[in-house]
Amino acid sequence: MEKNKTVELVIDDMLDDGRAFGRCEGCAVFVNGGAVPGDRVRAKVTKVKKSSAEATLTEVTVPSADRIAAECPYFGECGGCAMQELSYDAQEKLKTEQVRAKLKRLGGLEDPKVNDCIGAETLKYYRNKAVFAIGPHGEVGFMKGKSHFVIDINDCMLQSDAAMVCADALRAFLRETGIRCITQLTVKTAFGTGEVMAILDSESKEIPQIDKLVSMFDDAVYSLNEDEEGGYSLESVAVIHKGKCRIIAGKPTITEEFITDGSVLKFEISPQSFFQVNPEQMVKLYDKAADYADLKGGETVLDLYCGAGTIGIWLLEKLRNKDIEVCGKTKVIGIESVKPAVLDANRNSVINGFINTRYFCGKAEEELPGMMGRAKLYKWNEINERVEREPEIKIEHADVVILDPPRAGCDEALLAAVAAAQPDRIVYVSCDPGTLARDIRYLTANGYEFIEATPVDQFPWTTHIECVTLMKKFKN
């Protein structure tokens, strides 16, 4: 195969980075530009390696039976929704197979049980968090695929109305004032209450004319309520400068509400805390995690990378709805590295009536080994010396461990501490099947058996997939 040659091939798969994949002349060809599985295409080779090649789509000669017309006018420019031209049923099947393939190839599992993907019912405007990039000329939108160029976005089929009107307000503000210190806008929307938070990342501590921008945000959000009862309300505006966050208008948090098994759960969300971005699918994800955790009462549960405490609290609520007394005998211990999220977690426990939870701030891969006596813990004293410290709590054993790490997965030191805690069950919630598979390989080599995995589609139209996995301790 030669560079600049035009080749014909059938697309067999789509990778999680959005590239399509097929074979030609005995070579694996990765195709950029919008091909979907089942397409017969022509593509121009742009790079040749020893056993693979990169190519750019030039023509779809025979479209796949699963191909559909992209609905978004920014498709092909914006790097967000690589699956816009693939039917939703095909997306679910493809994502399920991607999880299975990675568990085999990277996890070393011969025939992993992967259940059908739990698909979404709401396919548009499902995100409760939007992160907008800011361009050099006042553009407000998202990055072009594989570049740092910001595309001005006036509408997005994934984001809430509140997010889009805040983006419009910021765009107008930047163009009116010429101010260029704002580098990013994040909008969080609580779907259950309508509360909205706008978060501005800024290169300078003070943003000129910030009161004007806050007023523009408020007017924009309020404008959505003309034909609705209740609706949206701007509750908080924050500025982040050099990693430090301050509230410049309104409350320090917004509140989200969920109804589960007939009862109401409330979660406070601060600017820097993690919260699942698709609330409708979050319910299905956490319900499956609760099924896998299978709490009976009296267990010690470790909730690692716990964020705002949502999973542990969700599990306790499920148990409380069955039996209040046995729920009270169950203990949840959470660890999270983001201090505002830990504060949220402790508040959320109180708000929802749980006193049997404790949340600690620190890196889970450091804190858990320290709590178990497997490693030393350190702190900085008043004269900036690194000195040893005692763990805030000592842990010898856990019955259930919940793992919900970032995309990079779990540190090996953490996995070793988890295995040493000898929980009966490990429930792993992952947003990256590759790092999930890598961590499962470690756990299966250290006393645990893979039982099953269930993909949950939190991100329709994108290549991302969430997955919840159950592992159990080998019986001697």
Side-chain angles (χ1 to χ4, degrees):
M1 187 169 293
E2 301 173 356
K3 186 177 179 180
N4 295 325
K5 179 180 180 180
T6 296
V7 296
E8 292 195 25
L9 67 156
V10 174
I11 300 301
D12 298 319
D13 201 353
M14 180 181 279
L15 307 184
D16 54 14
D17 61 4
R19 292 179 298 168
F21 169 81
R23 288 192 170 274
C24 181
E25 299 178 11
C27 182
V29 182
F30 300 94
V31 180
N32 293 293
V36 301
D39 281 345
R40 179 176 288 278
V41 305
R42 290 192 180 97
K44 185 177 181 179
V45 177
T46 56
K47 184 184 293 187
V48 178
K49 300 179 181 179
K50 186 175 181 180
S51 59
S52 67
E54 294 278 344
T56 299
L57 177 69
T58 58
E59 182 185 1
V60 177
T61 57
V62 181
S64 167
D66 294 316
R67 175 175 279 279
I68 60 174
E71 186 171 340
C72 177
Y74 301 101
F75 177 70
E77 290 187 89
C78 173
C81 296
M83 291 188 174
Q84 278 272 327
E85 295 183 310
L86 189 63
S87 71
Y88 189 63
D89 285 346
Q91 290 178 46
E92 290 183 272
K93 293 174 184 176
L94 177 60
K95 291 179 179 184
T96 301
E97 288 309 309
Q98 287 176 342
V99 171
R100 182 178 288 108
K102 290 193 175 181
L103 289 175
K104 287 182 178 180
R105 182 168 57 87
L106 302 176
L109 302 175
E110 185 175 338
D111 186 23
K113 181 182 178 182
V114 179
N115 297 316
D116 290 341
C117 179
I118 298 177
E121 296 174 28
T122 302
L123 300 181
K124 295 182 184 179
Y125 314 115
Y126 59 78
R127 286 186 64 97
N128 59 18
K129 178 183 176 182
V131 182
F132 297 98
I134 312 299
H137 306 293
E139 301 91 345
V140 180
F142 305 118
M143 296 289 190
K144 185 175 181 178
K146 299 181 180 178
S147 81
H148 295 290
F149 180 79
V150 179
I151 301 170
D152 223 13
I153 300 288
N154 294 304
D155 192 18
C156 175
M157 62 184 285
L158 306 190
Q159 308 296 344
S160 71
D161 289 341
M164 295 314 303
V165 297
C166 284
D168 290 342
L170 177 58
R171 184 183 298 109
F173 173 81
L174 296 176
R175 292 178 179 174
E176 287 176 19
T177 64
I179 291 168
R180 292 293 181 266
C181 61
I182 300 171
T183 59
Q184 182 173 281
L185 167 66
T186 302
V187 181
K188 296 186 177 184
T189 306
F191 285 9
T193 63
E195 295 186 356
V196 177
M197 171 183 283
I199 307 152
L200 300 159
D201 282 59
S202 174
E203 293 176 336
S204 61
K205 186 175 181 180
E206 302 295 335
I207 299 175
Q209 302 185 54
I210 188 63
D211 290 345
K212 176 179 180 177
L213 178 56
V214 170
S215 179
M216 292 174 73
F217 281 151
D218 194 30
D219 289 345
V221 173
Y222 183 76
S223 72
L224 296 171
N225 300 325
E226 293 179 359
D227 299 321
E228 299 178 23
E229 293 184 8
Y232 295 109
S233 62
L234 181 70
E235 296 291 333
S236 179
V237 180
V239 171
I240 297 176
H241 172 63
K242 293 185 176 179
K244 294 184 178 180
C245 179
R246 60 192 174 95
I247 303 298
I248 60 171
K251 305 185 301 185
T253 63
I254 57 174
T255 301
E256 180 62 286
E257 290 184 355
F258 294 90
I259 297 176
T260 174
D261 296 338
S263 59
V264 178
L265 277 177
K266 296 183 178 182
F267 297 104
E268 288 192 355
I269 306 164
S270 60
Q272 293 174 293
S273 65
F274 170 78
F275 200 83
Q276 293 286 347
V277 301
N278 186 331
E280 180 181 275
Q281 290 299 94
M282 182 187 111
V283 173
K284 300 173 186 177
L285 181 76
Y286 288 0
D287 280 351
K288 178 54 68 172
D291 288 344
Y292 284 167
D294 193 26
L295 298 183
K296 305 297 185 185
E299 295 97 339
T300 295
V301 180
L302 297 184
D303 187 2
L304 306 179
Y305 308 97
C306 66
T310 48
I311 295 183
I313 292 170
W314 198 273
L315 267 57
L316 287 176
E317 180 67 11
K318 288 284 183 181
L319 187 58
R320 182 166 64 183
N321 286 333
K322 295 177 182 177
D323 192 318
I324 293 177
E325 185 176 347
V326 298
C327 175
K329 297 176 181 178
T330 302
K331 180 167 59 176
V332 172
I333 300 169
I335 303 175
E336 168 60 48
S337 63
V338 179
K339 188 173 182 179
V342 176
L343 297 174
D344 289 347
N346 281 304
R347 276 199 312 270
N348 288 331
S349 291
V350 174
I351 288 169
N352 291 291
F354 295 110
I355 60 172
N356 47 335
T357 62
R358 295 187 68 184
Y359 295 98
F360 301 95
C361 185
K363 294 182 178 179
E365 58 267 26
E366 296 174 0
E367 295 299 318
L368 182 59
M371 290 174 175
M372 296 185 63
R374 296 173 57 85
K376 293 181 179 180
L377 294 172
Y378 296 92
K379 65 178 180 180
W380 298 98
N381 65 14
E382 61 277 2
I383 58 174
N384 210 30
E385 293 176 329
R386 188 169 180 262
V387 296
E388 191 173 343
R389 66 175 170 88
E390 288 294 313
E392 296 182 75
I393 190 173
K394 292 185 178 180
I395 297 172
E396 294 181 359
H397 170 73
D399 299 290
V400 178
V401 170
I402 308 295
L403 295 172
D404 188 10
R407 195 168 298 279
C410 297
D411 187 280
E412 192 169 297
L414 174 68
L415 294 175
V418 168
Q422 297 189 353
D424 294 325
R425 296 176 297 288
I426 298 171
V427 181
Y428 193 138
V429 178
S430 169
C431 58
D432 187 295
T435 55
L436 167 68
R438 178 201 67 199
D439 293 347
I440 284 176
R441 179 183 283 272
Y442 180 92
L443 291 168
T444 53
N446 287 273
Y448 284 83
E449 177 186 9
F450 171 87
I451 303 301
E452 66 177 57
T454 302
V456 181
D457 191 15
Q458 297 269 71
F459 318 102
W461 310 110
T462 79
T463 57
H464 302 298
I465 183 66
E466 201 91 5
C467 188
V468 57
T469 298
L470 173 63
M471 303 192 74
K472 290 186 178 180
K473 185 169 62 175
F474 278 119
K475 301 296 183 184
N476 294 327

